[in-house]
């Protein structure tokens, strides 16, 4: 991606929106395209502006951040929009629900300004905002459940290599780490990841991680 990263702010707390806007407006290369005070307004804002990144509060009146994320992710016209969930609560069940709904990652509201700016850059370039430690904790807390029989058959569409890279990505490895583990080039690892995402209709790497655990490709114990 080149040029300005366009960001939408969706949070019911005016003071929080003002703080984020002040930070982002001062940053070269980022443009705040609008604000919304609830999920319904947020979806309308995203449809009107089609930003690169939408920062969405998880709990809001009228429509929750999770439902807003689900509607954004389900709209083909918004396929390029990346949602980052904002939460006060850390690794709670809302986060996993948000990832299942189509979010690309999450941030705590008290995150450091530099981390927020880096997060926007990461998701704007199509990566998932899930560090290895966060992935392991999230999966350990909320995906310790039997495989989803509806998702398991989709594994048949993946080649052996694609299954392997998907499993490694689900354990939090970067493309470079996957490449080293499999003794292939980072570009080849990225290609395998991209093909797996296409076959599974995953919006981004976060969706690939969710699929890997829900389908039983990777178990929590194996993580």
């Amino acid at each position: 991606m080149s040029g300005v990263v366009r960001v939408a702010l969706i949070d019911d707390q005016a003071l929080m929106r003002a703080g984020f806007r002040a930070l982002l407006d001062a940053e070269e290369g980022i443009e705040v395209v609008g604000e919304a005070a609830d999920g319904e307004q947020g979806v309308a804002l995203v449809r009107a502006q089609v930003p690169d990144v939408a920062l969405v509060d998880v709990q809001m009146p009228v429509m929750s951040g999770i439902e807003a994320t689900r509607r954004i992710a389900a709209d083909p016209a918004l396929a390029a929009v990346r949602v980052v969930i904002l939460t006060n609560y850390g690794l709670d069940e809302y986060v996993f629900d948000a990832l299942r709904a189509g979010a690309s990652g999450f941030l705590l509201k008290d995150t450091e300004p530099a981390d927020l700016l880096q997060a926007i850059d990461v998701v704007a370039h199509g990566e998932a905002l899930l560090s290895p430690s966060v992935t392991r904790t999230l999966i350990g807390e909320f995906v310790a459940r039997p495989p989803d029989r509806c998702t398991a058959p989709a594994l048949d569409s993946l080649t052996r290599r694609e299954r392997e890279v998907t499993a490694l990505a689900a354990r939090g490895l970067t493309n470079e780490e996957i490449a080293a583990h499999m003794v292939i080039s980072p570009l080849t690892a990225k290609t395998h990841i991209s093909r797996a995402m296409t076959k599974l209709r995953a919006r981004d790497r976060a969706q690939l991680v969710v699929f890997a655990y829900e389908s039983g490709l990777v178990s929590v114990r194996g993580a």
Side-chain angles (χ1 to χ4, degrees), residues 90-100 105-106 129-145 170 206 209-210 213 220 223:
L91 291 168
D92 56 25
E93 192 159 6
Y94 291 118
V95 172
F96 182 65
D97 288 344
L99 291 174
R100 294 184 69 183
F106 73 96
L129 193 60
L130 292 171
S131 68
S133 61
V134 167
T135 300
R136 286 193 292 270
T137 305
L138 183 65
I139 295 303
E141 286 289 324
F142 299 112
V143 198
R145 61 189 73 179
V209 170
V210 171
Y213 284 92
V220 176

Side-chain angles (χ1 to χ4, degrees), residues 154-167 182 191-193 195-196 199-200 217:
L155 287 174
D156 294 338
S157 68
L158 301 182
T159 66
R160 180 180 61 82
R161 282 295 210 183
E162 288 163 358
R163 288 191 186 200
E164 188 174 354
V165 297
T166 298
M182 297 177 64
T191 298
H192 285 315
I193 288 286
R195 287 175 178 168
K199 289 181 178 180
L200 299 174
L217 177 62

Side-chain angles (χ1 to χ4, degrees), residues 7-162:
V7 179
L9 302 176
I10 306 171
D11 193 306
D12 62 324
Q13 298 179 344
L15 188 59
M16 188 64 64
R17 295 198 309 274
F20 280 131
R21 178 181 274 277
L23 172 64
L24 298 180
D25 280 346
E27 188 70 15
E28 186 176 351
I30 295 179
E31 176 189 0
V32 177
V33 298
E35 301 178 23
D38 62 55
E40 188 172 287
Q41 291 179 9
V43 173
L45 170 63
V46 170
R47 285 174 175 161
Q49 296 292 335
V50 193
D52 299 304
V53 178
L55 299 180
V56 181
D57 186 20
V58 71
Q59 290 185 304
M60 292 183 290
V62 184
M63 180 189 296
S64 71
I66 293 172
E67 180 58 28
T69 298
R70 186 175 292 113
R71 296 193 184 192
I72 291 169
D75 189 337
L78 305 178
V81 178
R82 295 291 174 257
V83 175
V84 175
I85 290 291
L86 301 171
T87 175
N88 288 316
Y89 309 106
L91 291 168
D92 56 25
E93 192 159 6
Y94 291 118
V95 172
F96 182 65
D97 288 344
L99 291 174
R100 294 184 69 183
S104 294
F106 73 96
L107 282 173
L108 293 176
K109 286 189 175 182
D110 62 356
T111 191
E112 292 294 325
D115 292 336
L116 172 64
L117 296 173
Q118 180 183 20
I120 290 173
D121 181 67
V122 166
V123 296
H125 285 82
E127 296 294 328
L129 193 60
L130 292 171
S131 68
S133 61
V134 167
T135 300
R136 286 193 292 270
T137 305
L138 183 65
I139 295 303
E141 286 289 324
F142 299 112
V143 198
R145 61 189 73 179
D148 184 339
R149 293 181 180 179
C150 293
T151 60
L155 287 174
D156 294 338
S157 68
L158 301 182
T159 66
R160 180 180 61 82
R161 282 295 210 183
E162 288 163 358

Side-chain angles (χ1 to χ4, degrees), residues 168 174-187 189:
L168 293 172
T174 65
N175 288 347
E176 289 73 19
E177 290 167 339
I178 291 172
H181 181 88
M182 297 177 64
V183 195
I184 57 178
S185 72
L187 179 59

